[in-house]
Amino acid sequence: MRPKKLTMIAGACLLALLSVVPGPAVAADDDPPPDPTDAAMVAEPSANPVTLQRDGVSVTASKTGNLTRQMVSVSWKGLDRSPTNFIYPVVVMQCRGTNPSREDCWMGSVADNGDAQGTNKLQAKATYYAPVETSDWYSQPKTLPAGPFFSVPFRKVDSADDTKDQYQGWRNALNGFWNTMPLLIEPDLEHKLGPIDDFTPGTRNFRRGVTQADGTGQVQTWVNTAVENPSLGCSDTSPCSLVVVPVRERPCRNAKQGAPPLTISNCAKAVGQAGIGNWQLLANWYERYVFKLSFSPSLPKCIGRTDQAKFLGSELTAEAMRRWVPARCQKESPAALDFTRAWEPDSLRQLGLRDPASTSKYAADAAVVSEPASPDDPVSSDRRLGYAPIATTGFAIGYTVDQNQGGTLSQVTDVKLNQRLVAKMLSQSYPGKFRPNTDKLPVNPNTASNPANIFKDPEFQQLNPAAAGYAGANAAEGTQLAMPTARSDVFLALTRWIWADPTARSFLQGKADPWGMTVNKTYRGWELPTDDYNLNDGWQIPKTGGDWAGFQPQTFWAQNTNSWANGSDITMSGWPLTQSPQLRDPSTPTSGFAGKRDNAQNFGERHIFVLSVLPELEKTGVRAAELRNSAGEFVGPTVESMGYALDGAQPDKNSGTWKLDYDAMDKRGYPGTMISYAAVPTSSLPSTLAQRYADNLRWISTQGQQWGQEAGQLPDGYLALTQEMRDQAGRVADAVGAQTGTPPIPPKDPVDDPKDPTPNDPPKNSPHHNTNEPKNPNGPGDGKTPSPTPGPGTPSGGPSSQPPVNNSSTKPIAATTGESLGWLAWGLPALLAAGLAAGVASPGIRVISQPGHPVRRGLAAGGSYLVGLLRRGRRRG
């Protein structure tokens, strides 16, 4: 090859290399650009996605208003690509106040890749870049030619003296320099500096995001309230912010700016290496995006009112009650409302306990349940309970599972589970590493040679083909559901669904699945359904098990939660708690113990399954698995699928409730659907108290069924009551008010009208096609059911439509604008190629792709209305 040609090729290669290797942004002898100035962008709280835009960059937060402890999704467009998980990150953190300083922000560590470790402090070389820091947070002289370290401490307001600041650091008395510390440290008694008590895996919502090659990225984080994080103290009266700081490449200071040669040289070497510690630099902080946060009040008591109708019971309705109670505490409300969470069987028991000091002479007068008392229960005969439907929601299997696809870490967005797989998790049938192995570990005799965990199970892999790449596939522990061990109607519904499936039933009775897996021997013959759950496998690791000898791994790995809210919370934060600190030898307290897990699963390593309820999963943003129904379809929880699940429900003539019929259920029905009832006596209540309950039942079943974000409105995770259910609630309210001991029996079907072969189709002249619309008190009807007040999102001035429960198996609950429009990026070329068809379809596409659009809500949120429209030709396809 000719030398000239070789030279040309070499030159081309050099140019190519130079095009991808960054150089110093500003040479030493160039005129420096003007110093950056503070250009923070601020957004007010919003219940809908809100976006801030600047210079081609947009940052969106999914929800920032009326928050509880819940997940928030932050996405962005137009930022520089992150060549690795550590270079040019985007930092997302919760900060104190609406105009926070850097010291007000709940920060992580250099090791953070999605969950702060708290063991390595964040540091930067602040003298490399303009503007130079003027604060005291230097651990070395500012004039150090190599560039001193700079690290911002967290400021914790002293709870004993609110005029005094406590910094997570201390000033060296000899040289005046600051030694800043990470949040999670051992106590420094010499300097009276201790660890921050509320810095736990459950509060570490400092997040590092990565920008893809197309300039987009996304981070899921969550907000903490003052209950979880007193150091920040965020509440409805003490606002906070979510702050997003993009870490960019910054121009190095040069000689004209007073930088010494060594600083200039070192800064040039650091080009292309801007990492997470650099978020603290003023140049980066000045470009922050601040989303003000507002918080909903905690479940209040009606202060100053003594006319409450007190309800005790199911956590299925807790989120709805969080909205209903403050609305009923208003002065114009004729009767106040009070609610206390409790397990359903215990709540019913309270209705039958005598209490001479109470007005009714009973311990409780109303329970919220899904399962009625048995006919032979004394409470059924003594108090003649009426069961008013007040909410439709359900149980769900939530999950947070990560995956590695081609070296890219992401969260799994679609999981399918059938009845037998859930039975395997409940029965502790996955042995973890204690199965036949080459490491000479002891083998759990109760689980034989079963797959180590659910991701290794051929049945799970068949339903979820990408399972081999899921985080946790090679983890030591088996896979079990995080769940409470208390008696509950939710567990009864779950096991009723499992038992309705012949393959799951035979597996629990001892029959192997098609791949040879068998039930844990301690559960063989387990008969369902039941409302009670116990951990049966008490096998201990023998002495040959090394450090773990004496422990019970199946019990130790079981994630015991104390509520459905707690279960969704640990799944959101990736912090699975062990059941309890476990002694190696219960008879010898000094034998050693394994305590509560003290770290969370990092992003990329998370693998948690939880049994919870839909409203709690919706609130926290945890995805829900698609569950197999009796028709063989895998269905996720939406208002449509819950509406279809009501199809074919059978009345219980003894109690006046409906029972889901899995065999008769529409094939589009979600099998986890549950109906919550207010069980209220139709005898034994004093007249005044009876009227309070009757009034609240009428209000809950009408005005309380409007979806929205305000007090009194129905939150995500619920299907609005159908008209038949509203009518039934009205009849129960009448019986409660009358106190004649005659509770009503429900109609045949909670959704059907026997006069109409497609009974839920609205009349053709209906302007809203909405059968959930309450009876007009001025028209036909009993005149006792008031029309609801139109709320936000009410199309055409009609009653507020019920929006769909987002399909948690395909995207986060808190979807961003970018997520909602993502499919259009692929769909538009095909639509354009379709010519005339595209012209016809695109207006509808524009409508349905806009989150919060009234028409979209009207179309997608019809609840039982839409269910009726879709029901033609439904029976088994």
Side-chain angles (χ1 to χ4, degrees):
M1 188 177 291
R2 295 181 180 180
K4 184 175 180 180
K5 193 170 185 179
L6 285 172
T7 302
M8 293 175 63
I9 293 174
C13 291
L14 179 60
L15 287 173
L17 287 172
L18 290 175
S19 69
V20 297
V21 178
V26 179
D29 55 353
D30 287 343
D31 287 333
D35 281 359
T37 56
D38 197 337
M41 298 195 71
V42 181
E44 295 299 318
S46 172
N48 298 308
V50 57
T51 299
L52 291 171
Q53 295 180 318
R54 174 176 53 207
D55 299 332
V57 175
S58 65
V59 181
T60 300
S62 59
K63 182 180 179 181
T64 55
N66 198 28
L67 301 169
T68 60
R69 176 170 162 86
Q70 65 188 85
M71 187 176 290
V72 175
S73 181
V74 177
S75 60
W76 56 88
K77 299 178 181 178
L79 290 177
D80 297 334
R81 172 181 174 269
S82 304
T84 72
N85 287 339
F86 300 95
I87 306 301
Y88 305 155
V90 176
V91 174
V92 180
M93 53 197 158
Q94 187 175 351
C95 305
R96 181 191 299 111
T98 56
N99 183 26
S101 66
R102 289 169 295 177
E103 297 84 352
D104 289 321
C105 293
W106 196 243
M107 60 191 70
S109 69
V110 293
D112 172 62
N113 64 349
D115 180 68
Q117 300 298 308
T119 52
N120 301 105
K121 59 186 175 183
L122 297 163
Q123 297 184 113
K125 295 280 190 173
T127 57
Y128 285 1
Y129 313 98
V132 177
E133 291 285 348
T134 58
S135 64
D136 291 331
W137 311 127
Y138 284 94
S139 58
Q140 297 167 301
K142 296 180 185 178
T143 56
L144 194 68
F149 280 115
F150 175 89
S151 182
V152 174
F154 175 68
R155 179 177 64 88
K156 181 180 180 182
V157 177
D158 190 333
S159 58
D161 180 2
D162 58 11
T163 63
K164 177 184 176 183
D165 292 336
Q166 287 186 335
Y167 290 96
Q168 195 63 8
W170 55 276
R171 187 188 295 274
N172 189 312
L174 298 177
N175 54 31
F177 302 142
W178 274 87
N179 287 331
T180 56
M181 301 293 182
L183 294 181
L184 184 62
I185 59 171
E186 293 299 321
D188 186 338
L189 299 181
E190 179 184 355
H191 301 97
K192 298 181 180 179
L193 181 68
I196 294 181
D197 296 335
D198 46 19
F199 189 73
T200 68
T203 64
R204 297 176 193 173
N205 57 353
F206 177 94
R207 285 291 180 264
R208 176 214 308 264
V210 176
T211 304
Q212 305 299 322
D214 61 357
T216 66
Q218 183 181 5
V219 162
Q220 287 180 339
T221 187
W222 66 86
V223 293
N224 295 311
T225 70
V227 174
E228 302 84 28
N229 190 332
S231 292
L232 286 177
C234 305
S235 69
D236 57 318
T237 58
S238 181
C240 287
S241 302
L242 193 69
V243 178
V244 182
V245 180
V247 175
R248 296 176 179 266
E249 192 66 61
R250 300 296 171 185
C252 293
R253 293 173 62 232
N254 60 19
K256 293 183 179 180
Q257 294 171 296
L262 187 56
T263 296
I264 296 171
S265 174
N266 286 349
C267 184
K269 295 175 184 178
V271 169
Q273 302 299 316
I276 193 167
N278 283 30
W279 79 264
Q280 305 169 103
L281 300 177
L282 283 175
N284 287 315
W285 177 253
Y286 284 167
E287 291 188 3
R288 66 195 179 278
Y289 299 84
V290 180
F291 297 90
K292 294 181 181 179
L293 305 175
S294 69
F295 292 83
S296 61
S298 58
L299 188 62
K301 301 294 181 183
C302 292
I303 299 175
R305 298 194 65 162
T306 59
D307 59 345
Q308 294 100 330
K310 297 183 178 181
F311 289 83
L312 175 74
S314 179
E315 198 176 351
L316 282 163
T317 61
E319 280 305 302
M321 286 289 185
R322 186 190 295 274
R323 301 280 187 83
W324 292 337
V325 169
R328 298 296 283 173
C329 287
Q330 302 301 315
K331 292 181 179 179
E332 61 271 19
S333 173
L337 174 64
D338 182 76
F339 175 73
T340 302
R341 299 186 187 203
W343 301 112
E344 299 92 344
D346 289 340
S347 301
L348 275 178
R349 186 173 60 86
Q350 293 291 318
L351 292 186
L353 292 181
R354 297 281 183 171
D355 181 3
S358 72
T359 304
S360 66
K361 309 306 180 185
Y362 285 90
D365 295 315
V368 180
V369 298
S370 293
E371 192 70 15
S374 62
D376 58 354
D377 189 324
V379 73
S380 298
S381 56
D382 292 350
R383 309 202 72 183
R384 303 291 294 163
L385 299 179
Y387 294 87
I390 59 172
T392 302
T393 179
F395 70 79
I397 308 295
Y399 65 93
T400 297
V401 178
D402 295 327
Q403 63 183 339
N404 189 330
Q405 293 181 330
T408 300
L409 299 178
S410 63
Q411 191 170 351
V412 175
T413 59
D414 184 16
V415 167
K416 293 180 173 63
L417 294 173
N418 61 24
Q419 295 90 326
R420 185 164 54 196
L421 284 169
V422 178
K424 291 175 180 180
M425 287 193 282
L426 287 176
S427 60
Q428 300 181 280
S429 293
Y430 296 108
K433 63 182 179 180
F434 299 106
R435 62 188 302 276
N437 57 80
T438 58
D439 297 328
K440 298 182 179 180
L441 293 171
V443 176
N444 184 343
N446 297 323
T447 52
S449 57
N450 287 349
N453 56 49
I454 194 171
F455 303 127
K456 295 288 189 181
D457 189 337
E459 184 169 18
F460 183 82
Q461 293 175 347
Q462 186 179 72
L463 298 179
N464 304 275
Y470 289 178
N474 297 314
E477 71 268 18
T479 311
Q480 299 179 39
L481 282 174
M483 59 177 290
T485 55
R487 295 180 58 202
S488 73
D489 287 359
V490 170
F491 191 70
L492 180 63
L494 174 78
T495 55
R496 188 176 282 145
W497 165 67
I498 292 173
W499 199 246
D501 178 65
T503 63
R505 193 163 60 241
S506 62
F507 175 82
L508 290 173
Q509 297 306 301
K511 183 179 179 180
D513 75 1
W515 298 271
M517 181 175 176
T518 57
V519 70
N520 184 308
K521 291 180 181 179
T522 64
Y523 285 89
R524 185 176 295 169
W526 189 27
E527 292 196 1
L528 305 177
T530 178
D531 65 0
D532 196 12
Y533 179 59
N534 294 300
L535 297 170
N536 292 347
D537 191 341
W539 175 74
Q540 291 185 354
I541 302 172
K543 293 181 180 180
T544 55
D547 293 340
W548 292 100
F551 290 111
Q552 300 173 359
Q554 293 289 55
T555 303
F556 183 67
W557 289 331
Q559 311 305 324
N560 187 21
T561 63
N562 56 33
S563 66
W564 306 122
N566 177 233
S568 60
D569 187 275
I570 68 169
T571 311
M572 173 186 71
S573 59
W575 187 26
L577 308 176
T578 55
Q579 182 190 352
S580 63
Q582 189 178 116
L583 286 171
R584 186 189 306 275
D585 180 0
S587 63
T588 309
T590 59
S591 63
F593 74 98
K596 187 169 65 176
R597 184 184 176 112
D598 60 1
N599 63 326
Q601 295 177 354
N602 289 337
F603 174 71
E605 303 170 357
R606 298 174 298 176
H607 51 283
I608 306 175
F609 287 93
V610 63
L611 174 62
S612 188
V613 296
L614 291 175
E616 296 297 340
L617 295 180
E618 289 281 343
K619 180 183 70 175
T620 54
V622 173
R623 291 175 169 87
E626 295 178 4
L627 302 182
R628 185 183 184 275
N629 59 27
S630 295
E633 301 290 334
F634 289 88
V635 181
T638 66
V639 288
E640 292 89 353
S641 63
M642 285 193 289
Y644 284 124
L646 297 177
D647 185 28
Q650 300 298 314
D652 179 353
K653 297 298 184 181
N654 290 316
S655 64
T657 63
W658 289 283
K659 292 185 180 297
L660 265 64
D661 187 329
Y662 294 108
D663 292 330
M665 184 184 297
D666 188 284
K667 69 177 184 178
R668 292 162 288 188
Y670 175 66
T673 304
M674 299 176 66
I675 304 172
S676 292
Y677 301 89
V680 187
T682 62
S683 67
S684 75
L685 287 180
S687 177
T688 301
L689 186 58
Q691 294 306 318
R692 292 176 193 168
Y693 279 107
D695 183 79
N696 273 289
L697 292 178
R698 293 189 184 100
W699 183 90
I700 288 173
S701 60
T702 54
Q703 282 98 326
Q705 298 300 312
Q706 298 177 80
W707 180 86
Q709 302 297 326
E710 304 301 325
Q713 297 179 323
L714 200 63
D716 292 338
Y718 294 91
L719 168 68
L721 296 179
T722 66
Q723 187 61 52
E724 288 291 353
M725 298 169 84
R726 294 186 184 199
D727 291 345
Q728 176 68 6
R731 287 190 287 268
V732 173
D734 292 344
V736 169
Q739 288 293 292
T740 59
T742 55
I745 298 299
K748 182 178 179 180
D749 191 317
V751 291
D752 281 356
D753 179 351
K755 298 179 182 179
D756 187 347
T758 53
N760 273 9
D761 288 356
K764 292 182 179 180
N765 61 355
S766 170
H768 305 298
H769 290 210
N770 194 331
T771 57
N772 275 352
E773 192 167 331
K775 293 181 179 179
N776 185 345
N778 299 318
D782 58 14
K784 298 178 181 178
T785 306
S787 297
T789 303
T794 303
S796 305
S800 178
S801 297
Q802 164 74 19
V805 176
N806 291 319
N807 190 337
S808 307
S809 64
T810 58
K811 66 178 181 178
I813 304 304
T816 65
T817 303
E819 288 174 314
S820 299
L821 294 174
W823 65 274
L824 278 178
W826 299 98
L828 280 176
L831 290 171
L832 291 172
L836 180 60
V840 173
S842 60
I845 293 171
R846 286 195 299 270
V847 168
I848 66 173
S849 66
Q850 297 177 31
H853 193 290
V855 178
R856 184 188 186 197
R857 284 184 173 174
L859 292 173
S864 60
Y865 313 150
L866 181 57
V867 171
L869 290 172
L870 296 175
R871 184 160 289 146
R872 298 183 187 274
R874 53 180 163 75
R875 300 285 185 183
R876 300 294 175 190

